Amino acid sequence: QVQLVESGGGSVQTGGSLKLSCAVSGPGYERACMAWYRQAPGKERERVATIYIGAGNTDYADSVKARFTISLDNGYNTLYLKMNSLKPEDTAMYYCASKPWAHVGSCLQDPYTYWGQGTQVTVSS
């Protein structure tokens, strides 16, 4: 069983930065794919960043490309999301998630199996 605990959310002004963390524990094969999702009130959940631990491949939603960076610590126990040039439309609850790797491209497919409780990010104009 994988456990995920997010932290690092908060309130910032437009153009500011935040770094989210997600403490990860559990079997390694269950967290070969890891991702950050977000959901704003009244909107669908969106996967904003993905990483495949096996090869280090990353992928980003167009809405955050070149502003957000997903990464892992050397021990693969903490997942990060560095967010720069934040905009009011980035305001949302942010969740980290994981699942086993199944095949090429599977990290880019929903659904994910394990979820954290979320951390709120609010960007004011």
Side-chain angles (χ1 to χ4, degrees):
Q1 189 84 355
V2 173
Q3 293 188 331
L4 305 163
V5 181
E6 302 96 334
S7 61
S11 297
V12 297
Q13 293 188 327
T14 297
S17 298
L18 280 175
K19 187 174 185 178
L20 306 183
S21 298
C22 175
V24 187
S25 61
Y29 73 94
E30 297 269 26
R31 43 192 171 109
C33 298
M34 299 208 67
W36 286 97
Y37 284 75
R38 68 184 180 187
Q39 188 166 24
K43 294 190 176 181
E44 292 189 356
R45 187 173 59 194
E46 173 188 26
R47 179 162 27 85
V48 297
T50 309
I51 186 166
Y52 168 45
I53 292 178
N57 297 346
T58 58
D59 186 79
Y60 298 92
D62 288 342
S63 57
V64 306
K65 203 168 289 185
R67 299 189 298 122
F68 289 12
T69 303
I70 188 171
S71 63
L72 282 158
D73 71 340
N74 290 337
Y76 305 133
N77 292 320
T78 306
L79 180 72
Y80 300 104
L81 185 68
K82 183 69 188 330
M83 306 183 293
N84 296 325
S85 303
L86 283 162
K87 306 174 182 180
E89 51 263 44
D90 295 319
T91 295
M93 185 71 78
Y94 283 73
Y95 301 89
C96 63
S98 76
K99 68 173 184 177
W101 182 90
H103 54 77
V104 173
S106 62
C107 293
L108 301 180
Q109 297 174 343
D110 290 334
Y112 269 62
T113 309
Y114 300 102
W115 294 83
Q117 83 288 349
T119 187
Q120 177 68 38
V121 172
T122 302
V123 185
S124 58
S125 57

